Amino acid sequence: MITLNSALIVTAILFSLSLIGLVLNRHNLIVLLMCVELMLLAVNTNFIIFSHFLNDLAGQVFVFFILAVAAAEAAIGLAILILIFRKQKTINVSELNTLKG
Amino acid sequence: MFNFTLILPELFVLCMVCVVMLVDLFVEQRQQVLTYALTQLTLVGAAILTLCIYCIPTTANFSGLTVHDHLGSVLKLAIYITSFFVFLYSRNYFRQQNMGKGEPYLLGLCSILGMMVLVSAHNFLTLYLGLELMSLPIYALTALQRDKEQALEAAIKYFILGALASALLLYGLSMIYGASGSLDITQVANVIGANSTQHPLIFVFGLVFVVAGLAFKIGLVPFHMWLPDVYTGAPNAATLFLAVAPKVAVIGMTIRLLVECLPGLQVQWQELLIVISVLSMILGNFVAIVQTNIKRMLAYSTIAHGGYILLGFIAGTAAGYSAALFYTLAYAIMSLGAFGIITLLSKQGFDVETIEDLQGLNDRNPWLAFMMMLLLFSMAGLPPTIGFFAKLSLIEALVSTHFVWLACIAMLVAVIGVYYYLRVIKVMYFDKPLDNKPFSLAWDAKMAITINGLAILYFGIFPGALITLCQQLFWSGTMLN
Amino acid sequence: MTLLQFIFYVFSALMLLSAVGTIISRNPVHGALFLVVCFVASAGIWLMLQAEFLGLVLVLVYVGAVMTLFLFVVMMLNLDKLPSRAGFKKYWPFGILILLLLVGLMIYVVAPSHLSLASNAIAIPHPADYSNVQALGAVIYTQYVYAFEIAAVILLVAIIAAISLAFHAFHQDTKRQNISKQVQTTAAERLRLVKNMGKE
């Protein structure tokens, strides 16, 4: 059988990979959005693992709702991205520098 | 278990969202009077409904997904009142800056619904859904000025970092769920309380992520980098919206998570919060000194104020929590006024951005300058304003729990903070205006800003009622667990 | 190693490798496709964890709809050529360090000696006639109906926001239909009879 620790370690690696991708990525906004999706995937898998090992359905219900919200989030994110592309003809993060911070 | 009376305000706002949406679609109108009026009516109606059910004792509703208690009701009332003023201040701005037809009102109402869900959440699930329902419309609101590069950049930055914050929070919540086996706030608190001596390490691991997510959402060092950029880049009205009510809601969420759900891990989160709070107070106040952009300066002062609010949580007593809540409400009134004046001063094709834009405001509109001065005095924490009492009660709570050194740091940085607020006052009163035209306001905006400024003064002189209200919320009897 | 474990590790490796692919790929189309692989692999893991409904939803909704949306945007904006990854090259050792730190911490935290779950990591397999869909459906519309309604509002917000942001119809060069003109059209306008002048 799958053991709890190995499953949790896999999701931890996935979560930290996407976190690093998010922090280090300087070239493409769409990859940033994908990294956010990856993070949510890691969280979802985490909930499902716990739901399985606790024999509790609540975790799966939570994942159901996270999926719905993530879809909504992706739609809004892509809408903003399209606006930026229309305006600037680029989605390169390092070229978005009117705001210094 | 399913008591619909207790969620009447939410139901009302939801119905009105649909009404506003349809009315806005089918009514051909240039000025959007009807949409605006309906939006304000919604807020008034929701406030009346909330007051009607205020006295019903604390109950968990909808199988524990949501709770009706005084804390939630008070926070909701604060959200309605501040949002009412926000819409009032930004009405002209929305019209002049070409921010769509009724979309700003519609998105604002949706966001307010999210805040209501958030502050009365009693389960991680509703907490998360409320948080997202609050944030998603604000991302869109920030980007609504579609032809302004800065606004779009602020929107995408806000969006990415907001999503990151939610993901961090969720990761932490998943760990706490795994360790406790429940999503219900009371049940988690009971599981942690049951073995009060030894907590599995996984709780602490989850807690770190939860605190990081919260710090992101409040905008605290070291997770603050989005805040100055978003405040600066967003259209002034959007800045006004996201600086006021969402702050109250997020502090409400912090109370739900840290005080109601994880009191068993107080020792652990106290340590984390001390670091975050001290860093925020110091960085916020010092960096604000060198800013030339007024919105950016106020953004850094927001970071510092966030640090102050955390002090109440660090104290860890009922007095501390009520002081934190009092400070939050005081801060909401102050930032409402300050960002409100900035929004009111912006005209078509001209956004108030730098501090120089306020030059000689006293010559152009003495009353507005006087109100701004009151607000800035309050932010600096000078008597006889509400900001003074807010800081005082926090420091009292800290001293009574033997965090004297922390109280000293808070007072020292507050003194530094006075400098940059006074600089703005000096610019308003002693510099010559760039543009000599007197500036006049519509009657409703004038009345609103007057009420806002006098509220600062009134609660500064007679803070008793509000302080007592905040204290009652944290008496042991009123909480569910 | 049992067969189940082997399958789990295969799926995990696939998931992690495609996640790396998503993050480092230069071409966003490749990135999106890697992400699809990642989702499918994790759907496999979810199925093994007896979350059948969610595993299917992940494939149908995520891969089928959300990733299609991503690809659609990538293609529409024509984002195939991209600048160099200067930032990534400079900072990747830093990234590896964070990765090792986080994962090391996680391994330490979930070590069996520190982890004390209520039912210490023994999952009871469901009987053969157990329906995951039924079990979820039974709670979503009763116990979680409040959350369900809020999720519906969130989707409404997504619609409103996406339309109010990206809707461009009243721009001059946008092609659109004039419905009333279409409806009022008559047969005479649509059909023109011409005499066949060909050879008879």
Side-chain angles (χ1 to χ4, degrees), chain B residues 28-67:
Chain B
E28 206 48 61
Q29 41 169 350
R30 288 198 69 76
Q31 308 265 310
Q32 301 305 314
V33 190
L34 195 58
T35 317
Y36 168 75
L38 276 174
T39 309
Q40 298 293 51
L41 195 75
T42 310
L43 292 175
V44 174
I48 293 171
L49 286 172
T50 309
L51 280 176
C52 286
I53 58 171
Y54 183 80
C55 290
I56 298 175
T58 306
T59 21
N61 197 5
F62 282 89
S63 19
L65 284 183
T66 171
V67 65

Short mmCIF file of all heavy atoms in Angstrom, two decimals, chain B residues 28-67:
data_model
loop_
_atom_site.label_atom_id
_atom_site.label_comp_id
_atom_site.label_asym_id
_atom_site.label_seq_id
_atom_site.Cartn_x
_atom_site.Cartn_y
_atom_site.Cartn_z
N GLU B 28 -30.77 51.70 -19.70
CA GLU B 28 -29.85 52.48 -20.51
C GLU B 28 -29.67 53.81 -19.79
O GLU B 28 -30.60 54.60 -19.66
CB GLU B 28 -30.52 52.68 -21.87
CG GLU B 28 -29.60 52.90 -23.05
CD GLU B 28 -28.45 51.91 -23.14
OE1 GLU B 28 -28.69 50.70 -23.27
OE2 GLU B 28 -27.31 52.39 -23.10
N GLN B 29 -28.52 54.06 -19.25
CA GLN B 29 -28.35 55.32 -18.52
C GLN B 29 -26.87 55.68 -18.52
O GLN B 29 -26.01 54.83 -18.41
CB GLN B 29 -28.85 55.18 -17.09
CG GLN B 29 -28.48 53.86 -16.48
CD GLN B 29 -28.73 53.81 -15.01
OE1 GLN B 29 -29.02 54.81 -14.39
NE2 GLN B 29 -28.57 52.66 -14.42
N ARG B 30 -26.64 56.93 -18.63
CA ARG B 30 -25.24 57.36 -18.69
C ARG B 30 -24.66 57.55 -17.30
O ARG B 30 -23.49 57.29 -17.07
CB ARG B 30 -25.14 58.68 -19.46
CG ARG B 30 -25.37 58.51 -20.96
CD ARG B 30 -24.84 59.72 -21.71
NE ARG B 30 -23.39 59.78 -21.68
CZ ARG B 30 -22.60 59.00 -22.42
NH1 ARG B 30 -23.12 58.10 -23.22
NH2 ARG B 30 -21.30 59.11 -22.36
N GLN B 31 -25.48 57.99 -16.38
CA GLN B 31 -24.92 58.39 -15.09
C GLN B 31 -24.89 57.26 -14.05
O GLN B 31 -24.29 57.39 -13.02
CB GLN B 31 -25.74 59.54 -14.52
CG GLN B 31 -25.91 60.68 -15.50
CD GLN B 31 -24.89 61.75 -15.31
OE1 GLN B 31 -24.70 62.21 -14.20
NE2 GLN B 31 -24.21 62.13 -16.36
N GLN B 32 -25.56 56.18 -14.34
CA GLN B 32 -25.57 55.06 -13.41
C GLN B 32 -26.14 55.42 -12.05
O GLN B 32 -25.72 54.90 -11.04
CB GLN B 32 -24.17 54.48 -13.23
CG GLN B 32 -23.54 53.97 -14.49
CD GLN B 32 -24.40 52.97 -15.18
OE1 GLN B 32 -24.93 52.07 -14.56
NE2 GLN B 32 -24.59 53.14 -16.46
N VAL B 33 -27.12 56.33 -12.04
CA VAL B 33 -27.70 56.73 -10.75
C VAL B 33 -28.38 55.54 -10.10
O VAL B 33 -28.22 55.29 -8.91
CB VAL B 33 -28.73 57.87 -10.94
CG1 VAL B 33 -29.12 58.42 -9.59
CG2 VAL B 33 -28.14 58.94 -11.82
N LEU B 34 -29.12 54.79 -10.92
CA LEU B 34 -29.94 53.72 -10.38
C LEU B 34 -29.05 52.62 -9.78
O LEU B 34 -29.29 52.15 -8.66
CB LEU B 34 -30.83 53.16 -11.49
CG LEU B 34 -31.97 52.30 -11.01
CD1 LEU B 34 -32.85 53.10 -10.07
CD2 LEU B 34 -32.78 51.81 -12.19
N THR B 35 -28.02 52.24 -10.51
CA THR B 35 -27.12 51.20 -10.01
C THR B 35 -26.50 51.63 -8.69
O THR B 35 -26.45 50.86 -7.73
CB THR B 35 -25.98 50.95 -11.03
OG1 THR B 35 -26.55 50.94 -12.31
CG2 THR B 35 -25.29 49.67 -10.74
N TYR B 36 -26.06 52.88 -8.68
CA TYR B 36 -25.43 53.41 -7.48
C TYR B 36 -26.41 53.39 -6.31
O TYR B 36 -26.11 52.91 -5.21
CB TYR B 36 -24.93 54.82 -7.75
CG TYR B 36 -24.51 55.59 -6.54
CD1 TYR B 36 -23.30 55.29 -5.92
CD2 TYR B 36 -25.30 56.59 -6.00
CE1 TYR B 36 -22.92 55.98 -4.78
CE2 TYR B 36 -24.93 57.27 -4.88
CZ TYR B 36 -23.73 56.97 -4.28
OH TYR B 36 -23.35 57.64 -3.16
N ALA B 37 -27.64 53.87 -6.57
CA ALA B 37 -28.62 53.95 -5.49
C ALA B 37 -28.96 52.55 -4.98
O ALA B 37 -29.05 52.33 -3.76
CB ALA B 37 -29.87 54.64 -6.01
N LEU B 38 -29.12 51.60 -5.89
CA LEU B 38 -29.43 50.24 -5.47
C LEU B 38 -28.31 49.64 -4.63
O LEU B 38 -28.56 48.95 -3.63
CB LEU B 38 -29.66 49.35 -6.70
CG LEU B 38 -31.06 49.39 -7.30
CD1 LEU B 38 -31.09 48.58 -8.57
CD2 LEU B 38 -32.05 48.83 -6.30
N THR B 39 -27.07 49.93 -5.03
CA THR B 39 -25.94 49.41 -4.27
C THR B 39 -25.95 49.93 -2.84
O THR B 39 -25.80 49.16 -1.87
CB THR B 39 -24.62 49.82 -4.96
OG1 THR B 39 -24.71 49.46 -6.32
CG2 THR B 39 -23.44 49.14 -4.32
N GLN B 40 -26.17 51.25 -2.72
CA GLN B 40 -26.18 51.83 -1.37
C GLN B 40 -27.36 51.30 -0.57
O GLN B 40 -27.24 51.03 0.62
CB GLN B 40 -26.24 53.36 -1.46
CG GLN B 40 -25.05 54.00 -2.14
CD GLN B 40 -23.76 53.85 -1.38
OE1 GLN B 40 -23.40 52.75 -0.99
NE2 GLN B 40 -23.05 54.93 -1.16
N LEU B 41 -28.49 51.12 -1.26
CA LEU B 41 -29.68 50.58 -0.61
C LEU B 41 -29.39 49.17 -0.07
O LEU B 41 -29.81 48.81 1.04
CB LEU B 41 -30.81 50.54 -1.62
CG LEU B 41 -32.19 50.35 -1.04
CD1 LEU B 41 -32.64 51.65 -0.40
CD2 LEU B 41 -33.17 49.94 -2.13
N THR B 42 -28.67 48.38 -0.86
CA THR B 42 -28.30 47.04 -0.43
C THR B 42 -27.55 47.08 0.89
O THR B 42 -27.83 46.31 1.81
CB THR B 42 -27.40 46.38 -1.49
OG1 THR B 42 -28.02 46.51 -2.74
CG2 THR B 42 -27.17 44.93 -1.17
N LEU B 43 -26.59 48.00 0.95
CA LEU B 43 -25.76 48.07 2.15
C LEU B 43 -26.61 48.48 3.35
O LEU B 43 -26.49 47.92 4.44
CB LEU B 43 -24.60 49.04 1.95
CG LEU B 43 -23.58 48.56 0.94
CD1 LEU B 43 -22.53 49.62 0.69
CD2 LEU B 43 -22.90 47.31 1.45
N VAL B 44 -27.49 49.46 3.14
CA VAL B 44 -28.35 49.90 4.24
C VAL B 44 -29.25 48.76 4.68
O VAL B 44 -29.39 48.47 5.88
CB VAL B 44 -29.18 51.14 3.81
CG1 VAL B 44 -30.17 51.51 4.88
CG2 VAL B 44 -28.27 52.30 3.50
N GLY B 45 -29.86 48.08 3.71
CA GLY B 45 -30.76 46.97 4.03
C GLY B 45 -30.04 45.87 4.79
O GLY B 45 -30.55 45.34 5.79
N ALA B 46 -28.84 45.52 4.32
CA ALA B 46 -28.07 44.47 4.99
C ALA B 46 -27.75 44.88 6.41
O ALA B 46 -27.81 44.06 7.35
CB ALA B 46 -26.78 44.19 4.21
N ALA B 47 -27.44 46.18 6.61
CA ALA B 47 -27.13 46.65 7.96
C ALA B 47 -28.35 46.51 8.86
O ALA B 47 -28.24 46.06 10.01
CB ALA B 47 -26.67 48.11 7.91
N ILE B 48 -29.54 46.87 8.32
CA ILE B 48 -30.75 46.76 9.13
C ILE B 48 -31.00 45.30 9.50
O ILE B 48 -31.28 44.96 10.66
CB ILE B 48 -31.95 47.36 8.37
CG1 ILE B 48 -31.76 48.86 8.24
CG2 ILE B 48 -33.27 47.05 9.08
CD1 ILE B 48 -32.75 49.53 7.33
N LEU B 49 -30.87 44.40 8.51
CA LEU B 49 -31.09 42.98 8.78
C LEU B 49 -30.12 42.46 9.83
O LEU B 49 -30.49 41.70 10.74
CB LEU B 49 -30.94 42.17 7.49
CG LEU B 49 -32.10 42.29 6.51
CD1 LEU B 49 -31.77 41.60 5.21
CD2 LEU B 49 -33.35 41.67 7.12
N THR B 50 -28.84 42.87 9.71
CA THR B 50 -27.84 42.41 10.66
C THR B 50 -28.18 42.89 12.07
O THR B 50 -28.04 42.16 13.05
CB THR B 50 -26.45 42.91 10.26
OG1 THR B 50 -26.24 42.56 8.90
CG2 THR B 50 -25.37 42.31 11.11
N LEU B 51 -28.67 44.15 12.14
CA LEU B 51 -29.04 44.67 13.47
C LEU B 51 -30.24 43.91 14.02
O LEU B 51 -30.32 43.66 15.23
CB LEU B 51 -29.37 46.16 13.36
CG LEU B 51 -28.16 47.09 13.32
CD1 LEU B 51 -28.61 48.51 13.11
CD2 LEU B 51 -27.36 46.97 14.61
N CYS B 52 -31.19 43.54 13.14
CA CYS B 52 -32.38 42.83 13.60
C CYS B 52 -32.02 41.49 14.24
O CYS B 52 -32.65 41.07 15.21
CB CYS B 52 -33.33 42.57 12.44
SG CYS B 52 -34.18 44.03 11.90
N ILE B 53 -31.04 40.79 13.67
CA ILE B 53 -30.70 39.47 14.21
C ILE B 53 -29.53 39.54 15.18
O ILE B 53 -29.01 38.52 15.62
CB ILE B 53 -30.39 38.46 13.09
CG1 ILE B 53 -29.24 38.95 12.22
CG2 ILE B 53 -31.62 38.18 12.26
CD1 ILE B 53 -28.76 37.91 11.26
N TYR B 54 -29.14 40.77 15.55
CA TYR B 54 -27.94 40.91 16.38
C TYR B 54 -28.08 40.19 17.71
O TYR B 54 -27.15 39.55 18.20
CB TYR B 54 -27.66 42.40 16.61
CG TYR B 54 -26.40 42.67 17.39
CD1 TYR B 54 -25.17 42.62 16.75
CD2 TYR B 54 -26.44 42.96 18.75
CE1 TYR B 54 -24.01 42.85 17.45
CE2 TYR B 54 -25.28 43.20 19.45
CZ TYR B 54 -24.07 43.14 18.80
OH TYR B 54 -22.91 43.36 19.50
N CYS B 55 -29.28 40.28 18.31
CA CYS B 55 -29.43 39.79 19.68
C CYS B 55 -29.61 38.28 19.78
O CYS B 55 -29.58 37.73 20.88
CB CYS B 55 -30.61 40.48 20.35
SG CYS B 55 -30.23 42.21 20.63
N ILE B 56 -29.80 37.60 18.67
CA ILE B 56 -29.92 36.14 18.72
C ILE B 56 -28.60 35.58 19.24
O ILE B 56 -27.53 35.96 18.76
CB ILE B 56 -30.23 35.58 17.32
CG1 ILE B 56 -31.57 36.14 16.85
CG2 ILE B 56 -30.27 34.06 17.34
CD1 ILE B 56 -31.94 35.77 15.44
N PRO B 57 -28.66 34.67 20.23
CA PRO B 57 -27.40 34.19 20.82
C PRO B 57 -26.57 33.38 19.82
O PRO B 57 -27.08 32.93 18.79
CB PRO B 57 -27.86 33.33 21.98
CG PRO B 57 -29.28 33.01 21.70
CD PRO B 57 -29.83 34.16 20.94
N THR B 58 -25.30 33.22 20.17
CA THR B 58 -24.34 32.56 19.30
C THR B 58 -24.80 31.16 18.90
O THR B 58 -25.08 30.33 19.76
CB THR B 58 -23.00 32.46 20.03
OG1 THR B 58 -22.65 33.75 20.46
CG2 THR B 58 -21.93 31.88 19.14
N THR B 59 -24.89 30.92 17.60
CA THR B 59 -25.25 29.57 17.14
C THR B 59 -24.43 29.23 15.92
O THR B 59 -24.20 30.07 15.06
CB THR B 59 -26.73 29.49 16.70
OG1 THR B 59 -27.19 30.80 16.41
CG2 THR B 59 -27.60 28.80 17.71
N ALA B 60 -24.06 27.96 15.84
CA ALA B 60 -23.45 27.46 14.61
C ALA B 60 -24.59 27.10 13.67
O ALA B 60 -25.60 26.55 14.09
CB ALA B 60 -22.58 26.25 14.90
N ASN B 61 -24.42 27.43 12.41
CA ASN B 61 -25.51 27.28 11.46
C ASN B 61 -25.01 26.47 10.26
O ASN B 61 -23.81 26.40 10.00
CB ASN B 61 -25.96 28.67 11.04
CG ASN B 61 -27.32 28.68 10.40
OD1 ASN B 61 -27.98 27.64 10.34
ND2 ASN B 61 -27.73 29.81 9.91
N PHE B 62 -25.93 25.87 9.50
CA PHE B 62 -25.59 25.10 8.30
C PHE B 62 -24.53 24.05 8.61
O PHE B 62 -23.44 24.08 8.06
CB PHE B 62 -25.17 26.01 7.16
CG PHE B 62 -26.34 26.64 6.48
CD1 PHE B 62 -26.85 27.83 6.93
CD2 PHE B 62 -26.98 26.00 5.44
CE1 PHE B 62 -27.96 28.40 6.33
CE2 PHE B 62 -28.09 26.56 4.85
CZ PHE B 62 -28.59 27.76 5.29
N SER B 63 -24.84 23.16 9.48
CA SER B 63 -23.95 22.10 9.96
C SER B 63 -22.56 22.62 10.29
O SER B 63 -21.55 22.04 9.89
CB SER B 63 -23.87 20.93 8.99
OG SER B 63 -24.29 21.27 7.71
N GLY B 64 -22.52 23.75 10.97
CA GLY B 64 -21.24 24.26 11.46
C GLY B 64 -20.41 24.97 10.41
O GLY B 64 -19.28 25.34 10.66
N LEU B 65 -20.95 25.18 9.21
CA LEU B 65 -20.15 25.88 8.20
C LEU B 65 -20.04 27.36 8.54
O LEU B 65 -19.05 28.00 8.23
CB LEU B 65 -20.81 25.74 6.83
CG LEU B 65 -20.65 24.39 6.14
CD1 LEU B 65 -21.27 24.43 4.77
CD2 LEU B 65 -19.19 24.02 6.03
N THR B 66 -21.08 27.89 9.15
CA THR B 66 -21.05 29.32 9.46
C THR B 66 -21.56 29.51 10.88
O THR B 66 -22.23 28.64 11.43
CB THR B 66 -21.91 30.10 8.45
OG1 THR B 66 -22.03 31.44 8.90
CG2 THR B 66 -23.29 29.52 8.30
N VAL B 67 -21.21 30.62 11.46
CA VAL B 67 -21.61 30.87 12.83
C VAL B 67 -22.23 32.25 12.91
O VAL B 67 -21.86 33.17 12.18
CB VAL B 67 -20.41 30.73 13.79
CG1 VAL B 67 -19.38 31.80 13.50
CG2 VAL B 67 -20.84 30.78 15.22
#
